[in-house]
Structures are given as structure tokens and as C-alpha cells.
Amino acid sequence: MRTALISDIHSNLEALSRVLDRIDQLGVDRIVCLGDLVGYGPFPNECVELVRKRCGAVIKGNHDAGTIEDLPLTHFNNDGRSAIRWTQERISPENADFLRNLPLLQVLDGMTLTHATPVDPASWDYIFSPSDIRKCFKHFTTPLCCIGHTHIPLVAGEDGKVHAIQSGRRALINPGSVGQPRDGNPRASFGLFDDATQQFEIIRVTYEIDVTADAIRKAGLPEALAKRLSLGI
Ligand code: ZN
């Protein structure tokens, strides 16, 4: 079974649409979304509706939780907070209900899915260092654990080191961010996992960054949220 993993869309409809186009070309069996459908960007309802239509499993991210008042706004930096307030004023009741009902963690066919960390999903801690990575492995039992949140692609083993998935060994993977990549590469990022071959691949997709950046400015969202997209930070 071939699974496309998408995460951290952040209301970037242009990026999500191009990623879904590529996924359709690849002909995957299912799409899994690891959270943060909304926040930062200008098209929250459109993105939630596309995810509802296209994804077989969807996890709640911290920006989704903030939007439905599951998480206090003090959790976010100034720009993040402004964007969440903006989103709260515009999200439809039906889409808000969808976000409210999302799980923080789900186990699906040998994959543990969560947004931030399997150690304590509601802590919203970030997994960056080898010791953070090693700690995660004590908190899932499946062959794979799939996370998002840092917006930086990752494939790591139980030793805390970054390397490709090795057959018979457990792995922690992060497909990177669709709507706000932060690894210095501004192209939209997603992951493709084939459980027959145990191959995991990070795929980058070009999209019209200016379309999203202009819509951010037009919406009156913070300028920094427009600027960072072309820098990939
Ligand atoms: Zn995010």
C-alpha cells in the first residue's frame, strides 16, 4: 500500500492543490494528514474542505486546536496568534466541528500518527535533537511513527541518527510542510511511503508562492507570514 503523508498545510491552498496534483499523478492508495490544516495562511475553509474530501486519516495540530479554543492563544507567537484570531473569525461552524473532532494520535496499519510528539502529543513539544528522537521510540510500538510540527523533513532511527528506513527497524519520519516549509527550501514538501518495499521518499513540489503571499497581504495577515514563504523559513 502506498501512503502519501501531508502535514502543516497552514491554509496555503495553492501549495495544497499542487501537492494533491502530484499525489494524483503518483496514484497513491491513501492520503494521511498529520495536522495544522489552518493558521498562518489565507484559505482555512478551502484547505479544511479539501482535506476532508481527500484524506483517509487526519490528526489535530496545535494551530487547529488554537482555532477551536482547545489551546490558549498564549501558546503562539505574535504572528501565529494574529493568524489564529483571523481564522477564528472566518472558519465555518462545520469546519470548526471537523477540527474539534480530530484525534491527537491515531494508530493506522503499523503507523503511529501524531502532530508533534508521541511522548505527549498535547505538550506540542518539538522533536529536533538526537536525544528528542531517541525518546520518541519509547512511546510507540509500531514500525513507523509519523509526525509533523517542525516543518522540517526527517527520517531517523532508534539510535537518534538521520538515515533511510531500514527493513525490520523502526523509524520516526516527518514529511515536512506543505504550506510553510522551514528547511530553507521553499517548495512544498510531502512524503510517500510504500509498505511493500519499505521505501520512504520526501517529494518537493513547486507552487506559485506569490499567489499565497499576495492573498496573505490582501487578507491583512502579518507581512512576515507572506515573506517567509519565498525564503523557506
Ligand atoms: Zn505547523
Side-chain angles (χ1 to χ4, degrees), residues 8 10 36 40 62-63 115 149 151 182:
D8 297 278
H10 288 296
D36 274 3
Y40 298 135
N62 52 322
H63 289 255
H115 181 67
H149 200 41
H151 298 206
R182 292 182 191 161

Side-chain angles (χ1 to χ4, degrees), residues 1 4 11 25 49 89 99 112 146 153 166 171 188 223 226:
M1 174 167 306
S11 300
Q25 287 166 4
E49 277 150 27
E89 287 163 15
L99 296 179
T112 297
C146 311
Q166 295 164 317
E223 171 63 22

Side-chain angles (χ1 to χ4, degrees), residues 53 119 145 148 172 182 223 225:
K53 201 157 87 184
V119 177
C145 178
L172 180 73
R182 292 182 191 161
E223 171 63 22
L225 296 177

Side-chain angles (χ1 to χ4, degrees), residues 46-213:
E46 292 84 347
C47 288
V48 172
E49 277 150 27
L50 258 181
V51 167
R52 288 171 63 181
K53 201 157 87 184
R54 301 295 312 273
C55 295
V58 186
I59 301 299
K60 188 187 286 175
N62 52 322
H63 289 255
D64 307 321
T67 296
I68 52 152
E69 296 177 353
D70 246 10
L71 187 61
L73 292 182
T74 49
H75 167 86
F76 300 93
N77 64 26
N78 284 343
D79 290 345
R81 200 178 305 143
S82 308
I84 285 180
R85 285 207 189 96
W86 184 94
T87 305
Q88 285 172 336
E89 287 163 15
R90 285 159 183 86
I91 194 92
S92 72
E94 203 186 349
N95 287 336
D97 273 347
F98 177 78
L99 296 179
R100 193 167 291 114
N101 291 320
L102 294 176
L104 288 178
L105 186 145
Q106 185 179 343
V107 175
L108 179 74
D109 301 329
M111 298 187 290
T112 297
L113 313 171
T114 192
H115 181 67
T117 166
V119 177
D120 174 11
S123 70
W124 307 111
D125 286 341
Y126 290 87
I127 303 302
F128 284 118
S129 71
S131 76
D132 294 339
I133 293 168
R134 283 195 298 272
K135 202 170 160 202
C136 285
F137 282 84
K138 298 191 181 84
H139 296 267
F140 68 92
T141 53
T142 49
L144 272 192
C145 178
C146 311
I147 60 171
H149 200 41
T150 61
H151 298 206
I152 295 173
L154 172 82
V155 184
E158 210 154 345
D159 54 5
K161 290 185 184 144
V162 172
H163 49 62
I165 293 179
Q166 295 164 317
S167 199
R169 299 225 184 133
R170 297 194 303 145
L172 180 73
I173 64 180
N174 186 329
S177 169
V178 170
Q180 195 195 78
R182 292 182 191 161
D183 59 344
N185 176 349
R187 290 183 297 158
S189 184
F190 73 98
L192 180 65
F193 178 65
D194 185 334
D195 66 357
T197 60
Q198 292 288 300
Q199 291 287 317
F200 176 72
E201 201 186 334
I202 299 281
I203 298 171
R204 305 303 286 251
V205 178
T206 304
Y207 74 97
E208 293 286 342
I209 293 173
D210 287 348
V211 170
T212 302

Side-chain angles (χ1 to χ4, degrees), residues 7-56:
S7 191
D8 297 278
I9 297 158
H10 288 296
S11 300
N12 187 339
L13 180 63
E14 184 62 23
L16 177 61
S17 301
R18 296 295 79 78
V19 163
L20 290 173
D21 288 347
R22 177 66 67 85
I23 288 172
D24 289 339
Q25 287 166 4
L26 292 165
V28 305
D29 298 296
R30 65 177 168 201
I31 308 173
V32 164
C33 175
L34 298 168
D36 274 3
L37 287 66
V38 300
Y40 298 135
F43 297 109
N45 286 307
E46 292 84 347
C47 288
V48 172
E49 277 150 27
L50 258 181
V51 167
R52 288 171 63 181
K53 201 157 87 184
R54 301 295 312 273
C55 295

